[in-house]
Amino acid sequence: MDHAAHLALLLAADQPPANGIPFRIFIVVSVVGAVLLAWFLLRGYRDNG
């Protein structure tokens, strides 16, 4: 391994881990969207009488 690659690995290991806030927001929005879609679709199968 050359010196530049070793230095890049050391600098990458020194960085703090990225926070998972965007991923958590994506998961929450996906779950809420799936629930709303299921409610909207299943609402049409209800008896109106």
Side-chain angles (χ1 to χ4, degrees):
M1 183 180 296
D2 62 342
H3 182 68
H6 191 258
L7 182 61
L9 284 176
L10 285 176
L11 288 175
D14 193 34
Q15 298 296 324
N19 56 3
I21 298 297
F23 183 67
R24 290 179 187 174
I25 291 173
F26 173 76
I27 294 297
V28 169
V29 169
S30 299
V31 169
V32 170
V35 168
L36 287 175
L37 180 63
W39 173 78
F40 181 76
L41 291 176
L42 292 174
R43 188 173 60 115
Y45 294 110
R46 221 177 8 188
D47 289 342
N48 289 333

